Amino acid sequence: MGYAQDDMEKANASHMREPLCDIAQCGLPLALEAMGERWSFMILRAAFNGVRHFEDFLEALGIARNILSNRLSRLVEAGILKREHCANDRRRIEYRLTPKGLDLLPAMLALRQWGEKWELGVPANPVMCDSRDGQPIATISIVAHDGRVLTPADLTWRELSELQADPAPAALRKVL
Amino acid sequence: MGYAQDDMEKANASHMREPLCDIAQCGLPLALEAMGERWSFMILRAAFNGVRHFEDFLEALGIARNILSNRLSRLVEAGILKREHCANDRRRIEYRLTPKGLDLLPAMLALRQWGEKWELGVPANPVMCDSRDGQPIATISIVAHDGRVLTPADLTWRELSELQADPAPAALRKVL
DNA sequence: GGTTTTAAGTTGCAACTGGAAACTTAAATA
DNA sequence: TATTTAAGTTTCCAGTTGCAACTTAAAACC
């Protein structure tokens, strides 16, 4: 039993889809390598909403069984989900977010907020709130080390070496 | 000339790929509808780095010409990029980020930071910095309305109606 | 104990999407 | 006018997706 998954992996390995940008020392291509597939974020969203079992993902997402199987395996391989047999019912498998998976929440909420603002147009329901005071969370934004909110015009790229040599240079080129 | 793009659109329309989640009033599926394709974020990254012309995207990304053409068209359709003929050289077309596109920067940086932390393992080069003081930006995080940083355990979903009726209830269920 | 049900995953097949390379179109330049 | 450049299109083939039916193993039922 179960050699088809191996075949699928072999097939992937034999002419492995070229990494999105293997030269760049940039986290974005690496993040997309793990999360760039069509269903990955939707599976993650379901996981954040407490979905843990194969059949429940299936129903929540309306995804094909084989694709779900493949995506869950990849997310487990990537260390974003962990796969565990249920103690009381050994047929059941629980997929749970790892710390690495939980750490994707800011990125996911930023995307969600963008979609709400620019595509949905109205506040989505339900609203993500702070459980301590019940208030909606703030918009995810880029902030400086001292907490000021930054816009694209306030940002610049600096070389690591330059940054270490001269922490606060006089003039910096703007990115945009 | 130029009927192939129309054909492509017709082909799309005839059995249009079903939206990722058309029922949910959620921004995430909508965001993924616009940005979920394999190359979309990499194109956006290049655009944020000042790439504006077809051939330059081609070289920067190592993407196939037809796929780039198709993705740029979709990003323009989605209102994330705008397409403009250069004034001085009418062959050249400039793709520039719109405000809607610029607003994806927090999501992109959150993904990049995640990739750096969990996949790259070391700080990527170059570093995104505040141009006012040259310091690296803070980690993108989820903050409450009053600025406290929140973890997944601090978060809860609330219904819009409930939120309006009772802004600060006594007990709230945690999401995770 | 034997049958049925449930959970998870696999297979085969048809349709669709992606990528490489050659081709087209139109504008600029020599 | 001939050539080059920028952007985009077409062709063709390989790879991926999705559906439906099938398999496997454990639990529940009778």
Side-chain angles (χ1 to χ4, degrees):
Chain A
M1 112 188 193
Y3 52 82
Q5 187 64 29
D6 297 341
D7 283 352
M8 211 177 278
E9 277 157 21
K10 261 182 242 151
N12 272 344
S14 64
H15 53 108
M16 188 108 62
R17 189 147 69 171
E18 152 181 76
L20 281 163
C21 201
D22 43 7
I23 35 165
Q25 289 292 305
C26 175
L28 186 65
L30 294 168
L32 293 174
E33 208 59 41
M35 291 300 302
E37 296 284 343
R38 181 162 156 73
W39 285 100
S40 304
F41 264 107
M42 290 304 288
I43 290 173
L44 200 76
R45 169 172 173 266
F48 270 108
N49 281 308
V51 174
R52 287 182 186 157
H53 300 292
F54 191 91
E55 303 286 333
D56 298 334
F57 280 107
L58 213 57
E59 188 182 13
L61 302 176
I63 183 178
R65 298 180 84 83
N66 53 346
I67 305 298
L68 177 61
S69 175
N70 183 269
R71 288 302 170 279
L72 286 173
S73 296
R74 285 205 210 180
L75 290 172
V76 169
E77 260 181 82
I80 291 165
L81 296 177
K82 57 173 179 274
R83 182 189 257 130
E84 277 170 3
H85 282 271
C86 276
N88 55 342
D89 184 344
R90 235 94 61 95
R91 286 174 307 183
R92 310 202 91 203
I93 288 178
E94 280 204 345
Y95 291 95
R96 283 168 168 276
L97 288 161
T98 62
K100 183 175 173 182
L102 287 169
D103 209 35
L104 276 165
L105 188 56
M108 203 180 69
L109 286 179
L111 265 177
R112 182 182 141 105
Q113 288 179 346
W114 181 88
E116 271 175 44
K117 176 175 173 182
W118 293 97
E119 301 288 343
L120 188 56
V122 297
N125 201 27
V127 180
M128 181 63 90
C129 291
D130 177 359
S131 56
R132 283 187 262 184
D133 61 11
Q135 295 303 299
I137 62 170
T139 299
I140 304 236
S141 55
I142 302 161
V143 301
H145 66 102
D146 58 7
R148 276 174 297 127
V149 172
L150 303 173
T151 68
D154 300 320
L155 296 168
T156 186
W157 294 111
R158 297 187 68 197
E159 293 293 318
L160 258 181
S161 52
E162 178 200 351
L163 188 64
Q164 285 153 357
D166 184 4
L172 295 166
R173 138 187 100 78
K174 306 291 194 299
V175 165
L176 287 169
Chain B
M1 106 185 196
Y3 52 81
Q5 187 64 32
D6 296 343
D7 284 351
M8 212 176 277
E9 277 158 20
K10 261 182 243 152
N12 272 346
S14 63
H15 54 108
M16 187 109 59
R17 187 148 69 174
E18 149 182 78
L20 281 165
C21 200
D22 42 8
I23 36 165
Q25 289 293 304
C26 176
L28 185 65
L30 295 168
L32 293 174
E33 210 57 42
M35 291 301 301
E37 297 284 344
R38 181 162 155 73
W39 285 101
S40 305
F41 264 107
M42 290 303 290
I43 291 173
L44 200 76
R45 170 172 172 267
F48 270 107
N49 281 307
V51 174
R52 286 181 188 158
H53 300 292
F54 190 91
E55 304 285 333
D56 298 333
F57 280 107
L58 213 57
E59 188 182 13
L61 302 176
I63 184 179
R65 298 181 84 83
N66 53 346
I67 305 299
L68 177 60
S69 174
N70 183 269
R71 289 302 170 279
L72 287 173
S73 297
R74 285 205 209 179
L75 290 171
V76 168
E77 260 180 83
I80 291 165
L81 296 177
K82 57 175 182 273
R83 184 189 256 130
E84 277 170 1
H85 281 270
C86 276
N88 54 343
D89 183 345
R90 235 93 62 98
R91 287 173 307 180
R92 310 202 91 202
I93 289 179
E94 280 203 343
Y95 292 95
R96 284 168 167 276
L97 288 161
T98 62
K100 183 175 173 182
L102 287 169
D103 209 34
L104 275 165
L105 188 55
M108 203 180 70
L109 286 178
L111 265 178
R112 182 181 141 105
Q113 289 179 346
W114 182 88
E116 270 175 46
K117 176 175 173 182
W118 293 96
E119 301 288 344
L120 188 56
V122 297
N125 200 27
V127 181
M128 180 64 92
C129 291
D130 176 359
S131 55
R132 283 187 262 183
D133 62 11
Q135 294 304 297
I137 61 169
T139 299
I140 301 222
S141 54
I142 303 161
V143 300
H145 66 101
D146 58 7
R148 275 174 298 127
V149 172
L150 303 174
T151 68
D154 300 320
L155 297 168
T156 187
W157 294 110
R158 297 188 69 196
E159 293 293 318
L160 257 181
S161 52
E162 178 202 349
L163 189 65
Q164 285 153 355
D166 184 3
L172 294 166
R173 144 186 96 77
K174 307 291 195 298
V175 165
L176 288 171

